[in-house]
Amino acid sequence: MSVESPDKAKWWESAVIYEIALISFQDSNGDGKGDLAGLMSRIDYLKWLGVDAVWLTPIYKSPFRDLGYDISDYCSVDPAFGSLEEFDQLLKALHGANIRLILDLVPNHTANDHSWFVESSSSRHSAKADWYIWADAAENGGPPNNWLSRFGGSGWEWCEARRQYYYHSFLVEQPDLNWRNPQLRDAIADVMRFWLDRGVDGFRVDASAVLIKDALMRDNPPNPQAEGKPPPQRQTPVFTDDRPETMDCIEFIREVIDTYRGRMLCGEVQGKTDRIGHFYGNGKPRLHLPLNFALLDTPWNALSLQAAIDAYFNAIPDHGWPVWVIGGHDKQRVASKIGEAQMRVLAMLLMTLRGTPFFFMGDEIGRKRVPIPSDRVRDPFEKLVPGFGLCRDPERAPMRWDKNADGGFTNGEPWLPLESPDGAANVAAQQRDERSMLALFRALMALRREHACLRRGGYEPLRSQNDVLAFGRTDGADGFLIALNIAAEPRKYHWQGRGRLMMSTHLDRPPEPLPDASILLRGNEGVIIAIEAR
């Protein structure tokens, strides 16, 4: 893969981006919910850790039925989080610490108490009558077609005032916006400008692949692989998801953000790896960074990872920049999938692959899924579609800063329970341990900052064998070899040339010349080797 010339305006190509679910990061007032003031108090931690940008889940005014993704006012901060004044203070403080801020943009739907929907649902003749997706009943009086909600049941809900149905991809209380309406598009553009004018550095676009639905409202066909899947997945959503017209919506959003220099657009996309390329743009630019979850979704062995990485790089257009994500507010904790020992290997993989790394708060301490008692479940996914392991609360549990019962998160009752402090990963303990997971994340980010080759150098695939995933990074005369043992037993790795060991995932090998072109990797160990020019 060729090396691009550095462009300071494209800060996201060298950045490490850290997702924060604000409600679970740090509480400042004892109400059990994280807030802007709490995040302000943790800026020193973010600076110490070494992240370059933070992405916040929605902070807007919301009834909070779905982690704030049900928005009742795009241009205000929910009082539970603070105020616009506090937001401005936070943004200034983050920028003062050389940390950029990315906000969630939720353009697919609003809450049903948003003023837009209140007006739209009041009459078929209101000024905003066509701002949402409305349809007449079928001949039998039922829903217009068979489209389903991701949270179970029909995607259509009856509105008596209009004598019509409205469509909701998610909760009944989250009506979908009509992106075919130019006035609605302009309103979303105004929302973006409201925050961009305040100085935010970009947006992560939520549900960007579902912004447009089929104009003919054709029924979705059954999913031939539906057996054992939850009800919402028993159809193949060809007429509701990833429609070709969606790309025009993303292009419109990109046009807005491109009027501001140095701002970034990333987004949630869907589909197989070979589909990710079109989210970058084809003629017109779309997302700077379509989020890629290949490292989360691939079976954890060297050959599968090798194949997934290769397929992803091959799917990116020449003008595209890679991105790697290992966690998120609606993704299961990867440490629970692969274990603590291999989580260290994943951290090295994330920080050395060509592309922009994203990780979720708590990943840096190897946090696992937090058990949530059935009577404490908050996630509507689990409440409405139970029994399929879809609950996202175990990932969203409050950050554990120390070993106290409240985790150092709050002096009140946390909105979601924390795990037992006995043996649980926490920031304070790992900050005292020079070889902890947290120390590894921090060391990897520091090494990445120090060496341009690891940030912007080319990627050279190598053949992975004997459970060792290997690849090279090159930048002119500079080069690194990364060798990652995906097995729990020792493996010998050989390469061509001379090298110097730079770092081990165990953090117990000092930088030193290697006597020959081979190294014995301990079980669950990865290494970074600087290759000497011949």
Side-chain angles (χ1 to χ4, degrees):
M1 185 173 291
S2 62
V3 179
E4 299 179 11
S5 299
D7 181 352
K8 290 184 179 180
K10 297 181 179 179
W11 56 265
W12 52 88
E13 294 185 358
S14 296
V16 176
I17 300 177
Y18 183 68
E19 183 191 355
I20 292 175
L22 186 64
I23 193 172
S24 292
F25 196 63
Q26 180 65 64
D27 176 23
S28 71
N29 59 10
D31 68 355
K33 299 177 181 179
D35 45 43
L36 295 173
L39 174 52
M40 177 80 84
S41 72
R42 295 293 184 180
I43 289 179
D44 284 347
Y45 169 74
L46 299 174
K47 189 174 181 179
W48 173 86
L49 179 60
V51 298
D52 301 293
V54 296
W55 147 31
L56 296 185
T57 55
I59 61 170
Y60 318 106
K61 187 177 181 181
S62 168
F64 225 81
R65 301 181 185 98
D66 185 25
L67 200 71
Y69 286 92
D70 48 329
I71 296 168
S72 54
D73 185 349
Y74 284 105
C75 296
S76 67
V77 172
D78 194 277
F81 294 142
S83 65
L84 270 175
E85 182 181 7
E86 286 178 297
F87 174 83
D88 292 337
Q89 292 169 354
L90 172 68
L91 182 60
K92 182 178 180 181
L94 285 169
H95 284 172
N98 294 317
I99 298 172
R100 290 178 167 87
L101 180 61
I102 301 162
L103 292 184
D104 243 311
L105 178 68
V106 186
N108 181 70
H109 49 266
T110 68
N112 63 351
D113 62 352
H114 194 293
S115 62
W116 297 350
F117 186 73
V118 172
E119 183 174 348
S120 184
S121 61
S122 66
S123 166
R124 297 192 190 196
H125 308 292
S126 71
K128 294 181 174 61
D130 196 36
W131 281 36
Y132 292 81
I133 299 175
W134 295 96
D136 293 333
E139 291 183 3
N140 65 1
N145 61 25
N146 73 346
W147 295 352
L148 298 175
S149 162
R150 282 167 169 74
F151 288 156
S154 173
W156 295 98
E157 182 71 8
W158 180 254
C159 173
E160 185 63 29
R162 287 184 54 134
R163 302 290 297 171
Q164 282 185 309
Y165 284 90
Y166 68 85
Y167 180 66
H168 56 95
S169 296
F170 299 93
L171 292 175
V172 170
E173 298 90 351
Q174 289 173 294
D176 279 33
L177 291 161
N178 177 18
W179 267 81
R180 299 182 190 277
N181 184 310
Q183 292 178 325
L184 180 277
R185 292 188 180 210
D186 289 343
I188 293 295
D190 287 342
V191 168
M192 295 175 64
R193 295 186 189 103
F194 177 86
W195 295 102
L196 291 166
D197 288 342
R198 302 190 93 84
V200 301
D201 299 284
F203 295 102
R204 174 263 188 185
V205 184
D206 180 64
S208 65
V210 300
L211 294 179
I212 288 279
K213 288 77 181 175
D214 181 49
L216 298 176
M217 296 191 178
R218 288 169 284 184
D219 288 344
N220 279 325
N223 181 357
Q225 300 176 329
E227 186 176 353
K229 294 184 180 294
Q233 296 178 30
R234 292 175 188 172
Q235 293 179 353
T236 303
V238 294
F239 294 116
T240 50
D241 294 24
D242 204 11
R243 302 295 300 163
E245 306 96 314
T246 299
M247 296 301 109
D248 177 66
C249 305
I250 298 174
E251 288 167 4
F252 174 84
I253 293 171
R254 176 65 181 268
E255 287 175 3
V256 176
I257 206 167
D258 277 353
T259 62
Y260 294 78
R261 179 172 171 77
R263 312 299 174 93
M264 183 271 286
L265 197 66
C266 60
E268 179 185 23
V269 301
Q270 63 186 67
K272 295 181 180 179
T273 297
D274 60 2
R275 296 281 292 154
I276 206 165
H278 72 165
F279 285 94
Y280 283 95
N282 184 12
K284 290 185 177 181
R286 295 166 186 163
L287 301 175
H288 293 102
L289 300 177
L291 300 183
N292 160 44
F293 296 95
L295 298 182
L296 267 175
D297 299 336
T298 301
W300 194 253
N301 62 76
L303 298 183
S304 295
L305 288 167
Q306 172 184 250
I309 293 167
D310 186 72
Y312 173 69
F313 278 134
N314 288 333
I316 298 175
D318 290 342
H319 65 273
W321 182 255
V323 52
W324 305 93
V325 186
I326 66 163
H329 63 275
D330 56 4
K331 294 290 185 179
Q332 293 197 2
R333 290 278 184 185
V334 68
S336 291
K337 172 186 174 181
I338 65 176
E340 181 178 348
Q342 281 294 310
M343 183 68 187
R344 300 177 78 99
V345 174
L346 174 58
M348 182 170 282
L349 176 61
L350 175 71
M351 297 298 174
T352 55
L353 277 170
R354 175 175 166 86
T356 300
F358 282 70
F359 64 102
F360 184 48
M361 61 180 209
D363 286 341
E364 73 271 28
I365 56 174
R367 197 162 191 212
K368 296 183 178 180
R369 307 192 80 215
V370 175
I372 305 295
S374 58
D375 62 345
R376 295 291 305 276
V377 168
R378 302 290 292 269
D379 186 5
F381 218 163
E382 179 63 19
K383 290 181 177 181
L384 296 171
V385 191
F388 289 92
L390 300 174
C391 186
R392 299 163 295 180
D393 289 342
E395 283 65 50
R396 300 172 176 182
M399 186 76 167
R400 180 167 279 286
W401 297 98
D402 59 36
K403 66 179 181 180
N404 293 324
D406 61 14
F409 165 72
T410 182
N411 58 14
E413 178 70 17
W415 80 282
L416 278 176
L418 284 77
E419 69 272 64
S420 169
D422 297 333
N426 72 77
V427 171
Q430 293 200 14
Q431 281 184 314
R432 296 190 295 269
D433 183 353
E434 295 180 352
R435 296 179 183 174
S436 67
M437 184 83 70
L438 180 59
L440 175 62
F441 264 83
R442 186 169 182 250
L444 285 165
M445 284 185 276
L447 190 69
R448 196 173 183 275
R449 282 193 304 276
E450 183 181 350
H451 296 279
C453 180
L454 292 176
R455 297 192 309 275
R456 304 197 59 95
Y459 168 83
E460 300 294 339
L462 298 172
R463 185 178 180 183
S464 296
Q465 299 183 77
N466 197 25
D467 298 314
V468 176
L469 174 66
F471 55 92
R473 299 297 307 277
T474 57
D475 184 14
D478 294 331
F480 288 90
L481 168 70
I482 292 87
L484 308 168
N485 185 2
I486 310 299
E489 298 80 27
R491 294 288 189 266
K492 191 89 168 181
Y493 186 74
H494 304 271
W495 70 91
Q496 298 294 320
R498 301 174 60 185
R500 176 181 177 83
L501 179 67
M502 299 296 293
M503 185 183 298
S504 161
T505 52
H506 292 12
L507 295 179
D508 61 353
R509 296 199 196 202
E512 60 183 356
L514 297 171
D516 57 39
S518 68
I519 189 171
L520 179 64
L521 297 172
R522 291 166 289 182
N524 306 306
E525 183 180 27
V527 294
I528 301 172
I529 298 168
I531 301 299
E532 296 182 12
R534 298 181 189 179

